[in-house]
Amino acid sequence: MGMTFLGRAFSGRAAFVARAALAAALSLPAAGAVQAADDRAGAAILVSAAIGNEVVQMIELGPKVIQVTVNDRVVYEDREGRTLSFVNAYNMEGRWLVLLQESVDGKCAARYRVLDLGGAKPSVSLPFGTCSNAPKVEQADRTLTVSLPNSDGKSTAAWNYRDGTLVRMR
């Protein structure tokens, strides 16, 4: 069963009420969708969702430490950012991809990573972006294209992700 995240990015630092509203909006089971704490002391499950055949969770371990797990296995840990968010999930002909957004510092509003659930094991791409928090995402021919405005406001940069490979196109 697949799940698509709708709307804007959901912040990893959101209040419990916002997480509960997210779970309701995504039609996730109340018991498994949002939990106050993980087995790890002081950890909080911020988002939990079924995507394809996988369970993806965003877990806050402490200030500036957020993990992304797939089926309880850590696939990415962010120790630099102020926030980590799910932007959306995309089904690329049976291969599920999740676009993650990180906010790093006051100079760069956002950078992005792709969580790939379709390979032999889940993986996370290298970071990319122009510091813009306004991605335009397109899907075609098993390729996810993320376009972002450049800082000059006149041009755009674009990255293609396909089968585990991230390439800057312009």
Side-chain angles (χ1 to χ4, degrees):
M1 175 168 114
M3 178 63 64
T4 300
F5 293 89
L6 302 173
R8 299 257 331 144
F10 302 104
S11 174
R13 305 284 190 250
F16 178 80
V17 173
R19 290 190 307 270
L22 170 62
L26 295 176
S27 301
L28 298 172
V34 179
Q35 300 174 6
D38 188 26
D39 292 337
R40 296 164 238 169
I45 298 174
L46 302 174
V47 177
S48 181
I51 301 175
N53 295 322
E54 316 296 340
V55 175
V56 178
Q57 293 183 319
M58 187 181 303
I59 302 169
E60 184 175 35
L61 298 178
K64 294 184 113 181
V65 182
I66 298 176
Q67 290 181 338
V68 176
T69 65
V70 176
N71 299 331
D72 295 324
R73 187 177 144 258
V74 177
V75 295
Y76 176 66
E77 182 171 283
D78 178 29
R79 291 183 167 270
E80 299 175 17
R82 293 185 303 180
T83 63
L84 180 64
S85 312
F86 287 120
V87 175
N88 211 339
Y90 306 90
N91 187 342
M92 305 296 293
E93 298 179 18
R95 184 180 189 121
W96 281 95
L97 304 176
V98 178
L99 186 61
L100 302 173
Q101 178 180 328
E102 301 171 305
S103 172
V104 182
D105 58 33
K107 296 178 185 175
C108 186
R111 65 182 181 187
Y112 299 86
R113 292 177 185 264
V114 175
L115 168 60
D116 188 338
L117 301 174
K121 64 180 187 176
S123 62
V124 176
S125 74
L126 292 172
F128 64 94
T130 62
C131 292
S132 170
N133 61 359
K136 179 182 174 190
V137 182
E138 297 175 21
Q139 296 174 243
D141 300 324
R142 296 184 45 193
T143 301
L144 187 73
T145 301
V146 180
S147 301
L148 297 156
N150 282 315
S151 58
D152 65 9
K154 299 176 185 175
S155 61
T156 60
W159 288 261
N160 282 352
Y161 185 89
R162 180 181 176 128
D163 298 329
T165 302
L166 179 69
V167 177
R168 183 166 183 171
M169 302 307 294
R170 61 178 184 266

